[in-house]
Amino acid sequence: MALTICTAQLNVTVGDMAGNARRIIDAARAAYEQGARLVLTPELSICGYPAEDLLLRPAFIAACDDAVREVARELAGLKGLHVVVGHPTGDALRDRSVQVQRRYNAASVLGEGRILETYAKRELPNYQVFDEYRYFTRGQGTCVFQVEGVNVGLLICEDAWFEEPAHLARASGAQLLAVLNASPFHTGKSNERVARMADRARAAGLPLVYAHLVGGQDEVVFDGASFAVQADGTLAARAPGFREDLFMVQAEPTPDGVRLAGRVDAAPDTDAELWHALVLGVRDYIGKNGFPGVLLGLSGGIDSALVLAIAVDALGADRVRAVMMPSPYTADISWIDAAEMARRMGVRYDEISIAPMFESFKTALAAEFAGRPEDTTEENIQARIRGVLLMALSNKFGSIVLTTGNKSEMATGYCTLYGDMAGGFAVIKDLLKTTVFRLARWRNANDPYGTGADPIPERIITRPPSAELRPNQVDQDSLPPYEVLDDILSRYMEWDQSIEEIVAAGFDRPTVERVARLIRINEYKRRQAPVGIRVTHRSFGKDWRYPITGKFRA
C-alpha cells in the first residue's frame, strides 16, 4: 500500500506564528481528507524565513515553541497523521560583547498530539543572502521516523546539498529522504535544485521529496515548485511554481526500494519565471505590509512602463495609480505614450507639471548659482521635485511609492538620491537594462494574469531611452551602450571578474575601468536605496556588502 505524502507548499509570513500555525493546521486537515498521512511543511514554516534578528529575541523563540505545540494539539485527533513542521528552537548566551549560539534551525515530527522527534539542521549556509551562522549552531544527529511502514529520513535544505547528512540518514535506516526548504529564487535556481537533488538521490540510493516555501519576504522571493525524484535521479513529480499548493506524492514500497509518483507540472521558461517572481514579490510586499495600493511616476519610458505592468499584474488596476510629471524637457511622445499605457492597463492616471516648481527653485537659487552654467544640478532638482510630489501623494493617501530604477542605473549611479530613488519598494532594482527591454517584449507577447494583452506601447520599447532632464538627452550621452555596459556589469559585479579578465574577454580597457569606477564611487547611493526584489544570484542587497570608504581597485 502506497504512503501518500503531501508537501504543503505554503506562503507564510515572518513573525505571524499564530497565523502560520493556523495555515499549517488547515493544510494538514485538508491533506488528511485527501488521504495523506505524512505532511511536509517548508523550512522554518512556523516563523517564516528569513526571520533575521527576530531570532535573537527569546520571546520570539518562545512564541515559536508555543505555536509548534498548538499545531500538535489541534491535529491530535487525526489518527496516523505525521506532520513535519520547521521552526527555531533553543537559546543563546549573550552579553554586550559576546553571543554564543545554542539555537537550532529545527524540524519536528508531530503526531498523536505531541512532538515525536526533533531534528536540527547540520549544514548552515553563510553565503549570498544566507546568514545562518549568526543565528544557529549546527545540529549533530539524524532523524529517521516511520509512517505506514516507510522509514523517512529528515533533512533541512542545505543538508541535502552535501553528502554526509543523506548518507547518515540511510545508515540509520531511511528508505526515503524528506527535505524541508526555504531556498530563495534567482534565475536558473529551480533547474539547479532539481539537478542537485537528483545527484543527492543517486549518491544516497534513495528517493527524495523536496518541500519548498512559496512567497515574497522583503527582497527575496521563494518560488515553490516542490518536487520529487526517484532513487536514480529521474523526476517523479513537480508542483506548480509561485503559488500555494497541497502537492501529493505517492510513495510505494517495492522489493527494489520506494518508488515515487505524482503529477508533473511543466516548468515555466526563464522570462515567465522571472515575471512571476517579480509579480509575487510586489504582491506579498504590499499585502503583508498592509499598504492599500501603490503609486509610481509614469514617464513614458521603458522602466516605469515595466513597473506599471508588473504592479497591475500583482495587485489589479484598482490598487495602482500612475502620475505623469512633465518638465520643460518632456517630449510630446512621452505624454502620449504614458497616457496610452495607463489607458490600456485601466489605472488611474494624473498629470502634475513640475515646470512651475522648477522655475521657483531656479529663481530661489539664482543668486547662489550666478555665473555658473546649468549642469546635473538642475537635472537633479527636477528629479527631486518629482520625488517630493510622489511622497506627498503617498503620505496623504497611504499608498507606497514604487521606484522604477534598474540594476544598470543602480550600479553606475545613473539615478538621483531623494529624486527617482525616493520611494518604498524598488521593483526592478535587480534587472539589467537589457533584461528590462527583453521582459517588456515578453509581457507584450503574454498575458499571464489576464490584465490585458500588449500593455506597453511599442514606441516605449523602440525609442532610445532618456531621462529627459535636458534638451535632446539620451542615456548613452552618459553611459556606454547598454549591451556593452550590462555585459561588463554582469562580469564585474555578479561574477567577480577582474578588470584584466574583462579586458581579456575583448572589452575596451577605458570603458571597463570607467564602469568599475562608477560602481565603486556610487556605493553611498545604493546604501540609501529602497529594498527591492532579488532575481539574480548577486543583487545589490544582502549579498552585496562593499564598504563605502575604501581604496582597493579590482
Side-chain angles (χ1 to χ4, degrees):
M1 180 178 175
L3 165 66
T4 300
I5 302 170
C6 172
T7 65
Q9 189 169 284
L10 301 177
N11 187 343
V12 298
T13 301
V14 166
D16 183 15
M17 275 70 86
N20 297 339
R22 176 49 51 191
R23 215 173 193 90
I24 292 168
I25 292 164
D26 291 345
R29 285 176 172 157
Y32 187 81
E33 290 179 2
Q34 296 177 47
R37 293 301 177 263
L38 173 59
V39 176
L40 306 175
T41 70
E43 178 180 10
L44 294 179
S45 54
I46 280 288
C47 64
Y49 189 97
E52 301 185 88
D53 280 9
L54 288 173
L55 291 163
L56 304 180
R57 302 190 70 86
F60 185 84
I61 302 300
C64 291
D65 292 341
D66 290 343
V68 173
R69 289 190 288 266
E70 174 68 13
V71 173
R73 283 194 300 269
E74 286 279 336
L75 299 176
L78 303 183
K79 184 175 177 59
L81 178 66
H82 293 69
V83 179
V84 183
V85 174
H87 62 98
T89 191
D91 58 14
L93 299 173
R94 62 186 300 194
D95 58 26
R96 291 184 178 180
S97 301
V98 176
Q99 178 164 282
V100 178
Q101 299 298 348
R102 297 187 305 194
R103 189 182 298 107
Y104 297 97
N105 181 338
S108 289
V109 183
L110 311 181
E112 303 171 357
R114 58 193 179 90
I115 298 172
L116 304 175
E117 304 271 359
T118 296
Y119 171 77
K121 187 175 181 179
R122 299 173 64 97
E123 304 291 344
L124 302 178
N126 217 62
Y127 53 85
Q128 292 182 342
V129 297
F130 301 105
D131 204 12
E132 293 202 13
Y133 283 142
R134 178 175 176 86
Y135 306 112
F136 301 117
T137 192
R138 295 180 61 178
Q140 300 297 320
T142 60
C143 178
V144 177
F145 60 99
Q146 190 174 92
V147 185
E148 295 195 344
V150 177
N151 293 332
V152 181
L154 185 57
L155 304 178
I156 301 175
C157 206
E158 192 81 358
D159 291 337
W161 292 69
F162 292 85
E163 289 189 6
E164 186 180 36
H167 283 300
L168 290 172
R170 176 168 184 137
S172 297
Q175 299 169 289
L176 166 74
L177 297 174
V179 188
L180 274 55
N181 301 272
S183 175
F185 168 84
H186 62 72
T187 51
K189 185 64 178 286
S190 56
N191 290 335
E192 183 184 1
R193 286 191 207 107
V194 173
R196 290 296 295 267
M197 293 307 102
D199 289 343
R200 184 61 49 237
R202 282 190 292 266
L206 296 175
L208 181 151
V209 179
Y210 187 102
H212 195 209
L213 182 65
V214 68
Q217 173 59 34
D218 296 343
E219 73 183 63
V220 295
V221 172
F222 301 94
D223 51 310
S226 302
F227 60 91
V229 293
Q230 308 287 13
D232 64 2
T234 57
L235 184 68
R238 179 169 50 215
F242 302 100
R243 64 176 176 86
E244 289 189 305
D245 192 58
L246 296 182
F247 180 59
M248 301 296 179
V249 177
Q250 304 299 318
E252 180 76 48
T254 75
D256 297 322
V258 173
R259 294 285 298 174
L260 303 179
R263 76 175 191 269
V264 180
D265 275 59
D269 64 36
T270 299
D271 288 339
E273 196 175 50
L274 185 54
W275 189 266
H276 291 315
L278 293 165
V279 166
L280 182 56
V282 170
R283 182 184 297 135
D284 276 358
Y285 192 82
I286 303 310
K288 291 179 180 181
N289 286 295
F291 292 105
V294 301
L295 60 96
L296 69 147
L298 189 65
S299 68
I302 187 71
D303 296 318
S304 61
L306 191 70
V307 171
L308 177 60
I310 293 166
V312 172
D313 276 7
L315 305 170
D318 60 331
R319 297 180 65 195
V320 180
R321 180 179 179 183
V323 185
M324 172 49 139
M325 295 167 286
S327 79
Y329 310 116
T330 300
D332 288 346
I333 58 174
S334 296
W335 291 47
I336 294 167
D337 290 346
E340 172 60 16
M341 181 168 181
R343 184 194 66 78
R344 293 184 188 186
M345 297 249 74
V347 301
R348 175 175 173 178
Y349 172 79
D350 299 286
E351 292 180 0
I352 305 174
S353 174
I354 69 167
M357 289 163 273
F358 184 39
E359 290 303 317
S360 294
F361 270 98
K362 289 199 293 183
T363 299
L365 292 165
E368 299 293 334
F369 290 174
R372 295 176 179 269
E374 290 195 0
D375 55 17
T376 55
T377 304
E378 284 75 18
E379 295 180 26
N380 290 340
I381 286 172
Q382 295 171 71
R384 289 176 178 135
I385 291 169
R386 291 181 172 120
V388 168
L389 291 174
L390 289 173
M391 290 307 301
L393 293 170
S394 174
N395 290 162
K396 186 62 69 174
F397 299 105
S399 294
I400 188 173
V401 175
L402 301 181
T403 64
T404 60
N406 60 64
K407 192 174 191 174
S408 305
E409 295 170 347
M410 296 301 298
T412 58
Y414 194 61
C415 47
T416 303
L417 272 177
Y418 327 120
D420 56 318
M421 293 176 66
F425 198 54
V427 179
I428 60 171
K429 180 180 182 178
D430 200 26
L431 295 186
L432 294 169
K433 187 76 168 192
T434 48
T435 308
V436 170
F437 279 104
R438 192 185 80 229
L439 207 54
R441 289 205 174 279
W442 181 91
R443 178 59 183 86
N444 268 7
N446 298 271
D447 185 15
Y449 295 90
T451 58
D454 200 32
I456 303 174
E458 180 67 14
R459 187 166 52 192
I460 289 179
I461 300 174
T462 58
R463 66 183 291 210
S466 170
E468 295 191 325
L469 297 172
R470 64 172 185 267
N472 303 314
Q473 182 183 26
V474 294
D475 290 3
Q476 265 56 72
D477 295 339
S478 304
L479 298 172
Y482 281 117
E483 294 77 10
V484 175
L485 174 64
D486 287 357
D487 202 345
I488 294 171
L489 289 175
S490 178
R491 291 169 181 272
Y492 186 89
M493 181 264 173
E494 295 178 356
W495 295 103
D496 287 323
Q497 289 187 12
S498 68
I499 288 174
E500 297 302 325
E501 288 175 306
I502 300 172
V503 171
F507 292 88
D508 173 65
R509 178 179 290 276
T511 301
V512 175
E513 290 181 344
R514 179 182 169 215
V515 171
R517 177 179 178 274
L518 288 172
I519 293 173
R520 177 176 56 81
I521 66 174
N522 284 291
E523 184 62 34
Y524 79 100
K525 283 190 179 181
R526 291 189 291 271
R527 291 286 185 95
Q528 300 178 68
V531 64
I533 304 168
R534 174 188 184 265
V535 293
T536 68
H537 73 276
R538 188 84 182 277
S539 68
F540 288 120
K542 290 182 180 179
D543 40 352
W544 177 268
R545 305 182 191 185
Y546 273 56
I548 296 172
T549 306
K551 295 295 185 182
F552 177 75
R553 306 291 181 268

